Amino acid sequence: MSTDDIAAIDLKTVLALNIHEIKNLMALLMLKLDAIKSENGEVGDARLLCHRVNDCMEQMLLLFNLQTERLVPSIEAHSPSGFIEEFVQNAIGLAGNRFEIKMEVAHAPDYWFFDRDLIEMAMLNAVHNALRYAKTRIVIGAGLLDNQLMLSVEDDGDGFPQAILDDRVGAITNQRYEEMGLGLFFAEIIAKAHTNKDRQGKLLLHNKGENQGGVFTLQLP
Protein backbone atom coordinates (compact mmCIF):
# COMPACT_ATOMS: atom_id res chain seq x y z
CA MET A 1 0.00 0.00 0.00
CA SER A 2 1.44 3.35 -1.02
CA THR A 3 1.47 6.52 1.05
CA ASP A 4 -1.07 7.95 -1.41
CA ASP A 5 -3.41 5.04 -0.63
CA ILE A 6 -3.01 5.67 3.09
CA ALA A 7 -3.69 9.38 2.66
CA ALA A 8 -6.88 8.57 0.76
CA ILE A 9 -8.30 6.57 3.68
CA ASP A 10 -10.87 8.33 5.82
CA LEU A 11 -9.19 7.73 9.17
CA LYS A 12 -12.28 8.72 11.11
CA THR A 13 -14.27 6.05 9.31
CA VAL A 14 -11.57 3.44 9.90
CA LEU A 15 -11.51 4.36 13.58
CA ALA A 16 -15.30 4.06 13.77
CA LEU A 17 -15.21 0.65 12.07
CA ASN A 18 -12.56 -0.60 14.49
CA ILE A 19 -14.52 0.65 17.49
CA HIS A 20 -17.60 -1.10 16.13
CA GLU A 21 -15.63 -4.34 15.72
CA ILE A 22 -14.24 -4.12 19.27
CA LYS A 23 -17.79 -3.54 20.53
CA ASN A 24 -18.95 -6.68 18.70
CA LEU A 25 -16.09 -8.71 20.20
CA MET A 26 -16.96 -7.42 23.67
CA ALA A 27 -20.57 -8.45 23.09
CA LEU A 28 -19.41 -11.98 22.26
CA LEU A 29 -17.24 -12.03 25.39
CA MET A 30 -20.21 -10.87 27.48
CA LEU A 31 -22.32 -13.73 26.07
CA LYS A 32 -19.58 -16.19 27.05
CA LEU A 33 -19.41 -14.79 30.57
CA ASP A 34 -23.20 -14.73 30.89
CA ALA A 35 -23.23 -18.44 30.03
CA ILE A 36 -20.99 -19.21 33.00
CA LYS A 37 -23.25 -20.20 35.87
CA SER A 38 -21.14 -19.22 38.83
CA GLU A 39 -21.65 -17.62 42.21
CA ASN A 40 -18.05 -16.42 42.10
CA GLY A 41 -18.09 -12.67 42.67
CA GLU A 42 -15.09 -12.19 40.38
CA VAL A 43 -17.06 -13.61 37.45
CA GLY A 44 -19.81 -11.10 38.17
CA ASP A 45 -17.27 -8.29 38.35
CA ALA A 46 -15.80 -9.43 35.02
CA ARG A 47 -19.27 -9.27 33.44
CA LEU A 48 -19.78 -5.72 34.69
CA LEU A 49 -16.33 -4.64 33.48
CA CYS A 50 -17.13 -6.00 30.00
CA HIS A 51 -20.38 -4.06 29.98
CA ARG A 52 -18.55 -0.89 31.01
CA VAL A 53 -16.02 -1.33 28.19
CA ASN A 54 -18.94 -1.81 25.81
CA ASP A 55 -20.48 1.41 27.16
CA CYS A 56 -17.27 3.25 26.32
CA MET A 57 -17.21 1.85 22.79
CA GLU A 58 -20.80 2.96 22.21
CA GLN A 59 -20.03 6.42 23.54
CA MET A 60 -17.09 6.73 21.13
CA LEU A 61 -19.34 5.76 18.22
CA LEU A 62 -21.90 8.31 19.36
CA LEU A 63 -19.18 10.98 19.49
CA PHE A 64 -18.14 10.03 15.95
CA ASN A 65 -21.73 10.42 14.77
CA LEU A 66 -21.97 13.80 16.48
CA GLN A 67 -18.81 15.10 14.84
CA THR A 68 -19.87 13.87 11.41
CA GLU A 69 -23.46 15.12 11.89
CA ARG A 70 -24.82 11.60 11.55
CA LEU A 71 -26.79 11.57 14.79
CA VAL A 72 -30.35 11.39 13.49
CA PRO A 73 -32.73 9.57 15.87
CA SER A 74 -34.75 6.73 14.37
CA ILE A 75 -38.06 7.34 16.11
CA GLU A 76 -40.44 4.39 16.33
CA ALA A 77 -43.19 3.18 18.67
CA HIS A 78 -42.05 0.97 21.56
CA SER A 79 -43.57 -0.48 24.70
CA PRO A 80 -41.91 1.24 27.68
CA SER A 81 -42.89 -1.67 29.95
CA GLY A 82 -41.29 -4.24 27.66
CA PHE A 83 -38.26 -2.01 27.24
CA ILE A 84 -37.77 -1.70 31.00
CA GLU A 85 -38.35 -5.40 31.59
CA GLU A 86 -35.33 -6.18 29.39
CA PHE A 87 -33.17 -3.86 31.50
CA VAL A 88 -34.37 -5.50 34.69
CA GLN A 89 -33.45 -8.96 33.40
CA ASN A 90 -30.06 -7.65 32.30
CA ALA A 91 -29.45 -6.06 35.70
CA ILE A 92 -30.51 -9.23 37.54
CA GLY A 93 -27.98 -11.22 35.53
CA LEU A 94 -25.21 -8.75 36.33
CA ALA A 95 -26.13 -8.22 39.97
CA GLY A 96 -26.33 -11.88 40.95
CA ASN A 97 -27.32 -12.04 44.60
CA ARG A 98 -25.70 -8.75 45.53
CA PHE A 99 -28.71 -6.46 44.97
CA GLU A 100 -32.47 -6.52 44.82
CA ILE A 101 -33.62 -5.37 41.37
CA LYS A 102 -37.15 -3.97 41.14
CA MET A 103 -39.27 -2.85 38.20
CA GLU A 104 -41.89 -0.07 38.42
CA VAL A 105 -44.03 0.30 35.30
CA ALA A 106 -47.57 0.57 36.73
CA HIS A 107 -47.96 4.09 35.33
CA ALA A 108 -46.17 3.52 32.02
CA PRO A 109 -48.06 4.29 28.79
CA ASP A 110 -48.84 1.42 26.41
CA TYR A 111 -46.42 2.79 23.83
CA TRP A 112 -44.14 5.77 23.20
CA PHE A 113 -42.04 7.05 20.32
CA PHE A 114 -38.26 7.10 20.75
CA ASP A 115 -35.00 5.82 19.29
CA ARG A 116 -34.59 2.49 21.04
CA ASP A 117 -30.86 2.11 20.37
CA LEU A 118 -29.97 5.58 21.65
CA ILE A 119 -32.17 5.36 24.74
CA GLU A 120 -30.87 1.87 25.43
CA MET A 121 -27.31 3.25 25.39
CA ALA A 122 -28.17 5.95 27.93
CA MET A 123 -30.16 3.61 30.18
CA LEU A 124 -27.52 0.85 30.11
CA ASN A 125 -24.89 3.31 31.28
CA ALA A 126 -27.18 4.41 34.11
CA VAL A 127 -27.89 0.81 35.13
CA HIS A 128 -24.20 -0.07 35.11
CA ASN A 129 -23.42 2.97 37.27
CA ALA A 130 -26.18 1.95 39.67
CA LEU A 131 -24.68 -1.55 39.89
CA ARG A 132 -21.38 0.04 40.91
CA TYR A 133 -22.76 2.37 43.57
CA ALA A 134 -25.91 0.74 44.99
CA LYS A 135 -25.82 -0.80 48.44
CA THR A 136 -28.78 -3.19 48.41
CA ARG A 137 -31.39 -2.15 45.84
CA ILE A 138 -31.93 -0.78 42.33
CA VAL A 139 -35.28 0.30 40.88
CA ILE A 140 -35.73 0.64 37.11
CA GLY A 141 -38.97 2.22 36.02
CA ALA A 142 -41.13 3.91 33.42
CA GLY A 143 -44.00 6.31 33.98
CA LEU A 144 -45.90 9.24 32.54
CA LEU A 145 -45.68 12.78 33.91
CA ASP A 146 -47.02 15.94 32.26
CA ASN A 147 -47.62 13.89 29.11
CA GLN A 148 -43.95 12.95 28.90
CA LEU A 149 -42.31 9.55 29.29
CA MET A 150 -40.08 9.24 32.35
CA LEU A 151 -37.50 6.43 32.27
CA SER A 152 -35.62 6.15 35.55
CA VAL A 153 -32.86 4.27 37.33
CA GLU A 154 -32.75 4.64 41.10
CA ASP A 155 -30.25 3.21 43.57
CA ASP A 156 -29.75 3.35 47.33
CA GLY A 157 -26.08 4.38 47.26
CA ASP A 158 -24.58 7.65 48.41
CA GLY A 159 -26.19 9.66 45.61
CA PHE A 160 -24.68 11.83 42.89
CA PRO A 161 -21.74 14.01 43.93
CA GLN A 162 -22.73 17.65 44.26
CA ALA A 163 -20.15 18.59 41.61
CA ILE A 164 -22.07 16.54 39.03
CA LEU A 165 -25.43 17.92 40.08
CA ASP A 166 -24.02 21.44 39.75
CA ASP A 167 -22.15 21.03 36.46
CA ARG A 168 -22.41 17.81 34.42
CA VAL A 169 -20.23 19.13 31.60
CA GLY A 170 -17.53 20.35 33.96
CA ALA A 171 -17.47 16.95 35.66
CA ILE A 172 -16.09 15.39 32.47
CA THR A 173 -12.76 17.21 32.97
CA ASN A 174 -12.67 16.41 36.69
CA GLN A 175 -10.55 13.26 37.03
CA ARG A 176 -12.53 12.15 40.05
CA TYR A 177 -15.85 12.18 38.19
CA GLU A 178 -14.84 12.02 34.52
CA GLU A 179 -16.14 8.48 33.88
CA MET A 180 -19.57 9.11 35.38
CA GLY A 181 -19.65 12.62 33.94
CA LEU A 182 -18.96 11.41 30.40
CA GLY A 183 -21.82 8.90 30.54
CA LEU A 184 -24.19 11.57 31.79
CA PHE A 185 -22.99 13.99 29.11
CA PHE A 186 -23.91 11.49 26.39
CA ALA A 187 -27.22 10.70 28.09
CA GLU A 188 -28.11 14.39 27.97
CA ILE A 189 -27.22 14.58 24.27
CA ILE A 190 -29.41 11.54 23.59
CA ALA A 191 -32.32 12.99 25.55
CA LYS A 192 -32.09 16.35 23.76
CA ALA A 193 -32.06 14.58 20.38
CA HIS A 194 -35.68 13.58 21.08
CA THR A 195 -38.11 16.39 20.26
CA ASN A 196 -41.85 16.69 19.81
CA LYS A 197 -43.28 20.00 18.61
CA ASP A 198 -41.96 22.62 21.07
CA ARG A 199 -40.68 20.11 23.63
CA GLN A 200 -37.20 18.66 23.93
CA GLY A 201 -36.01 15.68 25.94
CA LYS A 202 -34.11 16.22 29.18
CA LEU A 203 -31.80 14.42 31.56
CA LEU A 204 -32.88 14.91 35.16
CA LEU A 205 -30.71 14.02 38.17
CA HIS A 206 -31.48 14.30 41.83
CA ASN A 207 -30.66 12.69 45.17
CA LYS A 208 -33.41 11.34 47.41
CA GLY A 209 -31.70 12.55 50.55
CA GLU A 210 -28.39 12.36 52.34
CA ASN A 211 -26.85 8.93 51.62
CA GLN A 212 -30.21 7.63 50.36
CA GLY A 213 -29.28 7.20 46.72
CA GLY A 214 -29.55 8.96 43.39
CA VAL A 215 -32.20 9.01 40.68
CA PHE A 216 -31.35 9.18 36.96
CA THR A 217 -34.30 10.10 34.72
CA LEU A 218 -34.70 10.52 30.98
CA GLN A 219 -37.69 12.75 30.20
CA LEU A 220 -38.91 12.18 26.64
CA PRO A 221 -41.64 14.30 25.02
Side-chain angles (χ1 to χ4, degrees):
M1 180 180 291
S2 69
T3 54
D4 288 339
D5 292 331
I6 295 174
I9 295 174
D10 183 346
L11 293 181
K12 286 186 178 180
T13 300
V14 172
L15 178 61
L17 290 172
N18 274 281
I19 292 171
H20 188 74
E21 180 61 19
I22 294 171
K23 188 172 77 70
N24 288 340
L25 292 172
M26 290 303 302
L28 289 174
L29 179 56
M30 287 188 290
L31 287 174
K32 294 288 187 181
L33 287 171
D34 289 343
I36 299 174
K37 305 299 181 182
S38 173
E39 297 300 320
N40 189 322
E42 291 187 359
V43 174
D45 290 342
R47 289 193 188 102
L48 186 54
L49 284 171
C50 284
H51 281 270
R52 286 172 58 192
V53 171
N54 200 58
D55 288 345
C56 292
M57 294 296 102
E58 290 185 337
Q59 289 169 2
M60 290 177 72
L61 286 173
L62 177 60
L63 184 59
F64 171 78
N65 289 332
L66 284 171
Q67 289 187 330
T68 56
E69 298 182 348
R70 295 181 183 178
L71 183 63
V72 180
S74 177
I75 307 297
E76 296 180 357
H78 301 285
S79 163
S81 297
F83 183 68
I84 292 299
E85 185 174 359
E86 291 183 19
F87 279 101
V88 170
Q89 294 305 316
N90 177 276
I92 288 174
L94 290 173
N97 296 321
R98 292 177 295 172
F99 308 111
E100 176 189 10
I101 310 294
K102 295 182 62 178
M103 178 173 71
E104 291 187 353
V105 294
H107 301 292
D110 292 335
Y111 66 91
W112 206 259
F113 293 90
F114 55 88
D115 185 314
R116 183 184 179 89
D117 290 340
L118 288 177
I119 297 302
E120 181 176 319
M121 185 190 308
M123 290 289 288
L124 276 174
N125 187 266
V127 169
H128 296 160
N129 277 334
L131 286 166
R132 293 173 63 194
Y133 298 111
K135 295 176 180 175
T136 62
R137 179 174 54 87
I138 296 171
V139 181
I140 308 172
L144 196 60
L145 179 65
D146 191 24
N147 199 33
Q148 298 190 81
L149 178 64
M150 313 294 280
L151 301 173
S152 61
V153 179
E154 173 184 324
D155 65 66
D156 63 348
D158 293 332
F160 292 105
Q162 191 60 45
I164 285 181
L165 294 177
D166 292 340
D167 182 8
R168 289 195 285 273
V169 175
I172 298 173
T173 58
N174 185 321
Q175 189 172 10
R176 185 176 179 183
Y177 307 123
E178 61 184 4
E179 184 177 348
M180 182 188 295
L182 187 60
L184 294 174
F185 171 72
F186 283 117
E188 187 160 38
I189 289 173
I190 289 169
K192 288 182 176 180
H194 288 73
T195 59
N196 185 3
K197 297 180 180 177
D198 61 340
R199 284 184 163 182
Q200 185 178 46
K202 295 179 181 179
L203 169 64
L204 306 175
L205 303 176
H206 74 272
N207 291 332
K208 294 178 291 181
E210 187 174 355
N211 298 325
Q212 293 182 22
V215 182
F216 167 103
T217 304
L218 291 179
Q219 178 179 292
L220 303 179

